[in-house]
Amino acid sequence: MSKRTLGPASVQAEPPLAPDSIPVTRYAGVVRRHLVALLIAVLAGCAVGVVKIVLTPTTYTARIYVLAPPVALRPPIDIGSALDTDTRRPRETTMDTEAQLVWSHEVLAKLKERPGFGASDAELRDRIGLTVPSNTHVLTISVRAGTPRTAQDGARVVADTYLALRNRIMGQVLERNRQALEQNAELLKKQLAALPGDEDELRRLTARTRRQALVKQIRDVEKQAATIKAKQEQPGEVLRGAPLPRAGDDPGRDVAGATGIGLGLLGWLGYVVIRETRPRRIRRPADLRLHSRLPIMVEGAALGGGHREVSRRLRNLVFDADASTVLVTGVPGSAGIEVAYELAELCTEGGSATTVLRIVADGEELREPRGASGDGRSFDVRLVRSDDDRQLTRAIDRAGRVSRIVVITTPDINGADTIAAAGASDVALVVVERGRALDREVASGVLALDQAANPARVIVLTAPAFGGPAAPERRSGPRRPPARAAAQGRG
């Protein structure tokens, strides 16, 4: 029978990752693996937004429109000045000044007297809004309350109090300005009367004389005083009353929903980062496929019999490859020992004498595990220390002289002994114990074997077995070699 050679394993194992790194190529896989968590996070975020909307009390806003004519805050001529060379127009009130009047203490105190507005000044200022369209002096005063009637009543109170306060304050300002203009006019008239000359020369306005200059200033002052009197007769007033609000204010439904979804996505992202950056235990075949594309043999827990069923398939794989040296390494190491003993037992039953070379780690006692020894064992077990590769080579040669198949098992898949044993083996098998093996340890071990001379052939996912491998049944008669000891068979 010709020996069948094994090609390179199709392994694409990922190297050990840093604690804070995630490869870009795994983003799509992350979304696919955590799709259920993503849906739950989005739904939870939407629920948070809905709760925010439901718990936010409904408010109503009433708007009233008020005309506020501009008022000069200073006279054009200073009191007691005979001549004024400042040709700038008096500064008028701005919308910022009107806003301060709307939010004044007197307006807020009057609003507190109405039902539904028993709050602090800061909260009342927040509930009173003021907007002014461009190129106009019409103020839009809005008041927010819990009911439409309360909001409408509050808008009326604010507008009436604001207009009364504005008329009083602005009236006082205009009165002072008017008095200043009249005093300046009287002073100018006295200066005009004190000038010598004929009064008929006043009719010649084109002449550039001192008398004519005083006449011009007197006319300007009288014109400013007439303008102030006209403004006093045109105070601010309500242009359009506050209608009853028909619908409540929008409590930010779109913003609350978007915020909830955003919080859900951020929570999912944090969950994924934590899950992907920390070491995880292998619990299912999908966890192995993240790090390797090797064939996976899963031990059926319902079949019973320990590792015998999966070891039978491994024996067939060894016989098909016509392998004489087999490496069985496990994560943890005890899982590889159990499968190696079971594989040796089945190979012996299949007609091939088998010897197990167990590499013992430094500091470990040279003794057999419980249940591994006994008179009924059909294969030999030899212990080899892991301090010299030449000792391993000599042990393989000596075992090969008396056995058809040599099974090597190592305590650590990432140890140097595993790489050395892989170079001396025809087939390398990796055993992963469910619930105890870490994904990073498996990934680094498979990658190391793939870069060695003999890549791994298959990964075996086994269930945890307590107490070590089961001892074979005692034989009543003397042990005889199988009938097909000279040739390989298949179970």
Side-chain angles (χ1 to χ4, degrees), residues 311-441:
S311 299
R312 180 176 290 108
R313 286 180 286 171
L314 294 178
R315 181 194 61 181
N316 296 337
L317 177 65
V318 172
F319 284 174
D320 289 341
D322 195 14
S324 59
T325 306
V326 181
L327 170 64
V328 179
T329 180
V331 183
S334 58
I337 297 175
E338 297 168 3
V339 175
Y341 285 173
E342 194 71 37
L343 175 62
E345 181 72 22
L346 292 176
C347 288
T348 303
E349 293 179 0
S352 297
T354 305
T355 299
V356 176
L357 293 182
R358 180 186 169 195
I359 299 178
V360 182
D362 294 338
E364 184 180 353
E365 184 180 356
L366 289 175
R367 63 181 182 85
E368 287 297 308
R370 181 168 57 88
S373 61
D375 298 335
R377 187 175 57 194
S378 61
F379 59 91
D380 296 330
V381 177
R382 300 182 182 182
L383 303 181
V384 182
R385 291 192 176 276
S386 61
D387 52 358
D388 191 358
D389 295 342
R390 291 177 296 179
Q391 183 180 359
L392 174 63
T393 303
R394 290 193 297 269
I396 293 176
D397 293 339
R398 289 194 298 268
R401 297 171 187 169
V402 297
S403 302
R404 177 66 182 82
I405 297 176
V406 178
V407 178
I408 307 174
T409 178
T410 59
D412 185 8
I413 190 175
N414 293 299
D417 300 322
T418 303
I419 303 301
S425 303
D426 298 326
V427 175
L429 307 176
V430 176
V431 181
V432 177
E433 186 171 340
R434 190 194 312 265
R436 293 183 60 188
L438 298 178
D439 55 352
R440 294 184 181 180
E441 190 175 3

Side-chain angles (χ1 to χ4, degrees), residues 11 26 31 57 86 168 175 180 206 220 230 308 334 392 402-403 411 424 467 477 488-489:
V11 181
R26 293 178 60 182
V31 175
D86 189 3
R168 186 178 75 250
E175 182 64 22
T206 58
D220 291 341
R308 192 172 185 83
S334 58
L392 174 63
V402 297
S403 302
Q488 298 180 14

Side-chain angles (χ1 to χ4, degrees), residues 117-185:
F117 294 98
S120 61
D121 292 349
E123 184 178 352
L124 290 180
R125 289 191 188 98
D126 183 66
R127 294 169 62 176
I128 299 176
L130 179 64
T131 57
V132 183
S134 302
N135 303 322
T136 182
H137 293 281
V138 178
L139 282 64
T140 303
I141 302 175
S142 60
V143 178
R144 187 175 68 254
T147 61
R149 293 292 182 184
T150 305
Q152 184 184 39
D153 182 57
R156 292 174 181 173
V157 171
V158 171
D160 295 341
T161 309
Y162 156 70
L163 291 176
L165 178 63
R166 185 179 188 275
N167 291 338
R168 186 178 75 250
I169 295 178
M170 297 305 177
Q172 295 174 359
V173 173
L174 292 176
E175 182 64 22
R176 289 195 297 268
N177 293 344
R178 185 183 62 80
Q179 293 176 1
L181 293 174
E182 290 178 353
Q183 292 178 10
N184 280 275

Side-chain angles (χ1 to χ4, degrees), residues 152-325:
Q152 184 184 39
D153 182 57
R156 292 174 181 173
V157 171
V158 171
D160 295 341
T161 309
Y162 156 70
L163 291 176
L165 178 63
R166 185 179 188 275
N167 291 338
R168 186 178 75 250
I169 295 178
M170 297 305 177
Q172 295 174 359
V173 173
L174 292 176
E175 182 64 22
R176 289 195 297 268
N177 293 344
R178 185 183 62 80
Q179 293 176 1
L181 293 174
E182 290 178 353
Q183 292 178 10
N184 280 275
E186 292 295 333
L187 179 60
L188 292 174
K189 290 179 181 180
K190 291 179 181 180
Q191 292 178 1
L192 180 62
L195 291 177
D198 189 2
E199 296 181 358
D200 295 337
E201 293 182 358
L202 296 175
R203 301 173 183 175
R204 299 173 57 188
L205 299 178
T206 58
R208 296 182 177 273
T209 62
R210 172 63 174 167
R211 186 183 300 276
Q212 293 165 359
L214 289 175
V215 171
K216 183 177 182 299
Q217 291 182 8
I218 292 173
R219 291 183 177 179
D220 291 341
V221 172
E222 292 177 349
K223 183 179 178 180
Q224 293 290 339
T227 303
I228 291 177
K229 292 180 180 181
K231 289 185 177 179
Q232 285 180 340
E233 297 174 356
Q234 297 179 359
E237 60 180 349
V238 176
L239 294 182
R240 187 168 58 187
L244 189 68
R246 298 297 180 183
D249 300 333
D250 185 8
R253 292 182 175 86
D254 297 339
V255 176
T259 302
I261 294 176
L263 292 177
L265 291 177
L266 288 178
W268 174 81
L269 184 60
Y271 166 78
V272 169
V273 169
I274 294 175
R275 287 292 304 272
E276 293 295 323
T277 55
R278 68 178 180 86
R280 295 184 299 172
R281 296 187 181 276
I282 301 297
R283 302 185 184 279
R284 54 181 181 173
D287 299 334
L288 291 173
R289 295 191 184 96
L290 296 177
H291 308 284
S292 174
R293 294 187 179 180
L294 290 172
I296 301 175
M297 290 186 182
V298 182
E299 181 183 30
L303 297 178
H307 307 302
R308 192 172 185 83
E309 295 298 331
V310 70
S311 299
R312 180 176 290 108
R313 286 180 286 171
L314 294 178
R315 181 194 61 181
N316 296 337
L317 177 65
V318 172
F319 284 174
D320 289 341
D322 195 14
S324 59
T325 306

